[in-house]
Amino acid sequence: MRIAISTGGGDAPGLNAVIRAAVLSARTRGWDVLGIKRGFAGLLGEDEIVPLTADTVRGIAGQGGTIIKTTNRGSPFAYPVQAPDGTWSTVDRSDELVENARNLGIEAIISIGGDGSLAIAQKLVAKGVRVVSVPKTIDNDVAGTITTFGFDTAVNTAMEAIDKLHTTAESHDRVMVLEVMGREAGFIALHAGVAGTADVILIPEIEWDLDKVCEKIMARDATGRRFSIVVVAEGAKPRGGQESIIGESLPGQDRRLGGIAERLGFDIQRKTGKETRAMVLGHLQRGGGPTGYDRLLATRFGAAAVQAVADKKWGHMVALQSPHLVTIPIEQVLAETKRVDPSHDVVQAARMMGISFGD
Ligand SMILES: Nc1ncnc2c1ncn2[C@@H]1O[C@H](COP(=O)(O)OP(=O)(O)OP(=O)(O)O)[C@@H](O)[C@H]1O
Ligand SMILES: O=P(O)(O)OC[C@H]1O[C@](O)(CO)[C@@H](O)[C@@H]1O
Ligand SMILES: [Mg+2]
């Protein structure tokens, strides 16, 4: 048996632990393992295909990033190409991918990625490619699994940032606005905000009202708490307003969210008269090694993916449905949108403690 592994979408702490577990589990069965470099670029002649052996994965379980690289632009079904006049368009290169996989004797692919990679995997399955997926994203926005690896690490990084912002905010009697990742999902903001004891948490699932945000800050002020910590998800938006988009996207890239902290910080300072500073936590949330939780989850997923290949679970994703690992059809995963449920107990607990969601 010869299998190949691909990592797609934004990197997430734990990717290397999945790769290591999958390679070791496959080698135990006597299978050959190839690594497709940079998403599926290696199968399009745009990058390399490398052998993955016990030696190549030695010592990587705790390392951040992915040893086979990744990309979040250039789906094989919409690959960007530049015309001589400089304009860009996209072409479907999936047939080429299928042909190259066949020529390399690849009998199955383990595709590790988030919603975008799952959509690609689903289309490859429809073309007869035997794919098993592993859910990955710091955003935690993949349905069918209680959590994805990378999320816990990102939450810890954001929580530590909130802890640090507290001391400087309190010393200066300032409002600090921290922007965290998550695209259209508010899980990182919610979990890090509650764990880090933020005063205001703004998430895409609950539109905010600037007056309410400022009311909370001034109410704290009136009781002598002259500083406040506001955590805002990059995809959050004011009632009736728009998400904040930063910069231009490159060809084949999703729209880039960002800039909301700066805008909101400015509005808060104008309205409350309180000195306000904004910071964007950015890619620190994706960098570095995984927490113990993520390392273990990633390792379990890697081994489970090899088992799923052995069981011929084509078109399935491994998932955590505590306390068990299961496999579910990718189709089912993609049919659902996973977002923060505003009636969830984490939101309710936060509200009971007086945390404002700006609504
Ligand atoms: N293997 C891949 N090769 C090329 N592009 C990819 C691959 N996987 C995902 N993409 C692209 O990356 C972009 C971002 O996708 P998306 O954000 O959904 O990635 P993801 O896999 O969900 O990971 P994450 O959300 O953590 O970044 C999408 O345009 C998607 O088509
Ligand atoms: O690495 P890039 O292209 O800046 O992508 C950033 C995006 O990727 C993620 O980190 C993961 O999906 C999002 O939270 C964020 O919006
Ligand atoms: Mg995604």
Side-chain angles (χ1 to χ4, degrees), residues 6-10 38-40 71-76 113-117 120 136-139 141 183 252-254:
S6 153
T7 53
R38 204 156 45 87
F40 287 111
T71 178
N72 59 5
R73 43 195 189 93
S75 159
D115 49 357
S117 306
I120 293 170
K136 163 247 53 159
T137 170
I138 63 161
D139 302 339
D141 60 351
R183 299 204 69 82
Q253 187 175 47
D254 284 347

